[in-house]
Amino acid sequence: MTSLSSRRKRALVVGLGVSGMATAIGLRRIGWDPVIVERAPGRRSGGYFVVLFGAGQAAARRLGILDAIPDRSPPGGVTYTVDRAGVRRPGLGFGDLPVSPRMMLRGDVERAAFTALSHDVEIRYATTPTRIEQDASGVEVTLEHDGGSVTERFDLVVGADGLRSTVRRLVFGPHDRYLHRLGYMIAATLLPGPVGGLSPHEGASLLEPGRAMWVFPFADHPPTVLFSYRTDDVDAEFTGRPAERVRAAYGPQPAGRLLGEALDTLDAADEFLFDSVEQPRMDAWSHGRVVLVGDSAWCPSLYAAMGISAGLAGADLLGSMLHRHPGDIRGALRAWETQLRPHMTYYQANGVEQRYFVTPGNQRQIALRPLMARSLRLPVIGNALRSLRSNTRSIRERELDIAHAG
């Protein structure tokens, strides 16, 4: 007979996204039995442009998935700013960053994480928690599936179910208590190939006050497009067809070739992303034996470009803290948040600040872009900027790794 002290701990992970699977990998690695539930009827392996910075790469390496994540950065890739008339100027893209992030699609990370899941990790699709109650020794969760329900007991519940987390709503309170709108909408989809006369290795940004469009090229995959625009009425943007709302946001001027072809692709797309840009702002990411991980806890927004990296790092660190605090789940969660929160607070603030890099707010910010692009290419100024940015970034990422190892 297995004693209570020696039995394997059981965790419910809600969400089969990157953060959820990374959490399950980390828990399984320390001897826990994770059960993953996903509201969708199957895997959602799609997704668009993401980057993986040093902190995310280090976490992916520890989780055993880094080698399976491709780097789709195009060789010789270059980004132009292009106006509606088709005039090109030197631009700034992720390939110009001095820290050399890996460029890829979200589905690349999802596939690597799914492949790395242990074969004995149970996954239940079309399953959603409807009640979560806990006491000193465990968490009782009612799970709904195909119109029926079952109640089970777990040692830990992890909400890795995204920005509008069901776990957060059930345990911490309604979305409007925590979600902070930045006043922007985004749309993204896969392009069938280069658009607007671009070559396969060329990216582009079309920048206008309060609205922007980006084309991201890949080495061995069709490009993706991102639309980002300012709005004073987020709720109104969710009325009508998304493609029509995006097209209206970029009117009434003639679109021109590049923007026009991208809008036509979005209009015909079967799969696309359309959402508001929001951040959860929370005083604590855990309550008793329930913890939030990834976008459900700290979503920095795509403007920070740290969503995947932060999700992997947070999931990896969670497993490490639970391993270091055996028999004290609440203490492990407190230690995890104490070490992680300063970094996620920084990334969230960066996501707010960087919205103007992706979507300039006025003509002056647009006018400065060519100067910034040229300065990066001048030997003296460019090297100084690269050194400054590289040192700043490396310090932040080193701190996150030290937090993991300390």
Side-chain angles (χ1 to χ4, degrees), residues 159-378:
D161 47 344
L163 187 63
R164 297 173 184 86
S165 166
T166 297
V167 174
R168 189 183 62 228
R169 177 177 57 80
L170 291 174
V171 176
F172 295 85
H175 296 321
D176 57 10
R177 183 182 301 175
Y178 300 106
L179 290 184
H180 176 75
R181 287 178 168 174
L182 299 189
Y184 291 79
M185 301 295 295
I186 56 169
T189 193
L190 178 68
L191 295 169
V195 292
L198 296 172
S199 298
H201 67 285
E202 293 175 338
S205 58
L206 187 148
L207 308 171
E208 299 173 346
R211 57 192 183 188
M213 183 200 73
W214 290 76
V215 175
F216 300 111
F218 300 102
D220 52 359
H221 193 280
T224 62
V225 62
L226 169 70
F227 301 90
S228 171
Y229 61 92
R230 182 82 173 85
T231 180
D232 293 325
D233 190 346
V234 170
D235 292 329
E237 293 302 312
F238 288 107
T239 62
R241 290 181 63 242
E244 292 176 351
R245 301 303 303 184
V246 175
R247 192 177 289 274
Y250 288 79
Q253 304 94 323
R257 182 182 177 187
L258 177 65
L259 177 60
E261 291 181 9
L263 286 170
D264 289 345
T265 299
L266 178 66
D267 196 40
D270 293 325
E271 295 185 7
F272 58 87
L273 167 70
F274 181 73
D275 206 351
S276 55
V277 182
E278 307 187 26
Q279 291 182 338
R281 308 278 178 84
M282 305 186 69
D283 294 331
W285 298 327
S286 67
H287 176 67
R289 291 170 172 263
V290 179
V291 63
L292 303 175
V293 175
D295 284 353
S296 60
W298 56 68
C299 182
S301 87
L302 64 83
Y303 300 142
M306 285 296 297
I308 291 290
S309 294
L312 290 172
D316 175 52
L317 185 62
L318 178 62
S320 296
M321 289 296 103
L322 288 167
H323 184 61
R324 293 179 196 174
H325 297 265
D328 185 9
I329 290 176
R330 290 179 175 83
L333 299 181
R334 287 193 297 269
W336 169 78
E337 181 165 346
T338 296
Q339 297 204 34
L340 199 61
R341 182 171 282 275
H343 306 283
M344 300 311 167
T345 299
Y346 173 85
Y347 295 143
Q348 279 198 323
N350 191 245
V352 174
E353 295 168 2
Q354 288 294 98
R355 70 192 188 277
Y356 293 128
F357 175 83
V358 177
T359 315
N362 53 54
Q363 194 61 46
R364 180 177 178 274
Q365 293 171 357
I366 296 172
L368 289 174
R369 301 296 274 262
L371 177 62
M372 294 171 62
R374 286 195 296 271
S375 69
L376 278 173
R377 290 167 174 82
L378 291 174

